[in-house]
Amino acid sequence: MDWKRTREPDDAWHMTDDLHVEHGKGDPFAAAIRATRMSMIITDPRRPDNPIVFANEAFLRLTGYERHEVLGKNCRFLQGPKTDKSAVEHIRTAIADNADVSVDILNYRKDGSTFWNALYISPVSNHKGEVQFFFASQLDVSDRKLSEHRMTADKDRFERAVKERTAELEAALEAQTTLLHEVDHRVKNNLQMISSLIIMQRRTIKDEATRHSLTTMLERIEALSTVHRRLYQSKDVSRFDVSDFAKDLVTDLLTASGRSGIEPKLELDPIVISAEKATPVALMVNELVTNALKHAFKEGPDGTTAGRIGIKMSQPDGHFKIEVSDDGVGMAEANGDASFGMRLIKSLARQLHADIEWHDAGPGTKVVISMPNEQQQKRTLS
Amino acid sequence: MTEPLKVLIVEDEALLAMELESLVEEAGHSVVGWATSSAEARSMVESTDADIAFVDIHLTDGPTGVDVAHYIGEKKRSMVVFMTANPKRIPDHFAGAIGVIAKPYTMNGLTSALRYLQEGMRRPPPVSTRPAGFTLSPAFEAVWAPAA
Ligand SMILES: Nc1ncnc2c1ncn2[C@@H]1O[C@H](COP(=O)(O)OP(=O)(O)OP(=O)(O)O)[C@@H](O)[C@H]1O
Ligand SMILES: [Mg+2]
């Protein structure tokens, strides 16, 4: 072999095809390019329409054409109906600018089948800087493209499924919220009607004892009303702010009693309990505060009563603690167990798993309730 | 003694309207009309000279209470206080209303609200404490209960 022949004439590539194998055999580079598994062609931009002047075996294998079918032709015969126009445009501009270009383009074989071609084209210039040829290599990347497509398709399908499911869930939540608001609305209206009925009935009653007992009933129902007015006010419908409630309840009971001489003392830490506990806690606090109002304070000689009612709500070591205290007469003379109020308090305490104790506060009474208050799970409805 | 209020009740529930009327009268005010629908409310706004209208959001012709409030606001004859079990339906601007009494209110809550409103309308700003369950609109909050 003639290893010294490293410099070729300008149209050496062209000649290798023209002269068939003999000439190329003498040239190791040409031989390598002929034999490589990488598909390669050379085009001549100085001839009209930049035709192919060399194509290696790999190119012919890849495209399915015979050599005589491709030589002298512009490469565009590789394009077809599904070839991306913008990819073609990209190549065209690069060639017009004598620039490198690398694109993935859908090409067609002779038999009409398609393949994804990772095409790389670069200009080859002579020593004067004039472009003599374009050198192009083609790599069949159909497999990669296919898995890329699959991945995109999978991703799209997955995203669509997630979107659909999210929409479904949002609709379900919306429906649930609407339903909750509707039910809540009805409960509130019905509570309002129940208290209206009691007030109306009470107006017609002359007997003091009966009136008194209707008043107590109204107080209990109004305690429930106060709970429901406060329920579902926060974003999280499963939680109930018991300190806000206690403030409403106590102010309401005190002003309703008309006894301005009784001073409320509120020490309310912001404490949240689960919504199921709201009603029993509210009823219990209502009983204790009304008891203090009713029984603890003796009327003074001037017809007024003076004293102090304290409510403290705190949460030391995860236990919810309520203290209702007064500085009144104390409970030494009370025979509580038979009365309804006491029984109600004790039953509610059992329901809440609460410990309840009455202390002689000297002066007055102090009732201490303590119950477990586990961390609430968040559940949000708007 | 400040002048009592003339009250228009816009409420579709007869029982609640009846009881509200009694409570208003017991507190020394008078009820000049009771409407159950938005149309009735509109014509009563024309025919009565109420100082204040208690307006439920849900009336016999649907959730039209806010429209009624708008209408009363345009006439500039009386003030509006919403009375509803669904305060979330009230728009942020309150359609010009003073505020809302949330249902279910307590008897004392309503009586206190009446006292508070009487003070606010006759000799603003009100001096008594705002009762539980009564919320002022942002516009009235700024005038009647400015943050100290
Ligand atoms: N804070 C208190 N100070 C003084 N005595 C009290 C206090 N709390 C309760 N008592 C006494 O305990 C008794 C029982 O209370 P309880 O709540 O069971 O009954 P009541 O309040 O009399 O009636 P009701 O059944 O309507 O509640 C009361 O009658 C009263 O004598
Ligand atoms: Mg009692």
Side-chain angles (χ1 to χ4, degrees), chain A residues 220 287 290-291 294-295 341-342:
Chain A
R220 286 175 179 141
E287 290 305 314
T290 51
N291 271 357
K294 265 189 257 174
H295 308 298
M342 284 293 179

Side-chain angles (χ1 to χ4, degrees), chain A residues 238-295:
Chain A
S238 63
R239 293 152 77 98
F240 179 76
D241 189 325
V242 73
S243 32
D244 280 352
F245 159 81
K247 209 164 96 206
D248 279 7
L249 182 85
V250 174
T251 4
D252 201 50
L253 285 173
L254 267 177
T255 31
S257 77
R259 292 201 252 172
S260 51
I262 296 172
E263 198 69 43
K265 188 162 176 282
L266 305 181
E267 292 170 78
L268 304 170
D269 288 351
I271 291 165
V272 164
I273 59 175
S274 69
E276 309 93 80
K277 288 184 181 161
T279 303
V281 167
L283 279 177
M284 204 151 64
V285 174
N286 178 62
E287 290 305 314
L288 294 171
V289 176
T290 51
N291 271 357
L293 270 171
K294 265 189 257 174
H295 308 298

Side-chain angles (χ1 to χ4, degrees), chain B residues 84-121:
Chain B
T84 176
N86 204 351
K88 280 182 184 157
R89 284 198 87 118
I90 299 170
D92 290 343
H93 51 75
F94 272 68
I98 296 177
V100 56
I101 297 175
K103 286 179 188 167
Y105 47 83
T106 63
M107 191 177 152
N108 172 68
L110 187 85
T111 316
S112 308
L114 281 169
R115 191 185 319 122
Y116 183 82
L117 286 166
Q118 185 184 17
E119 288 168 6
M121 290 188 59

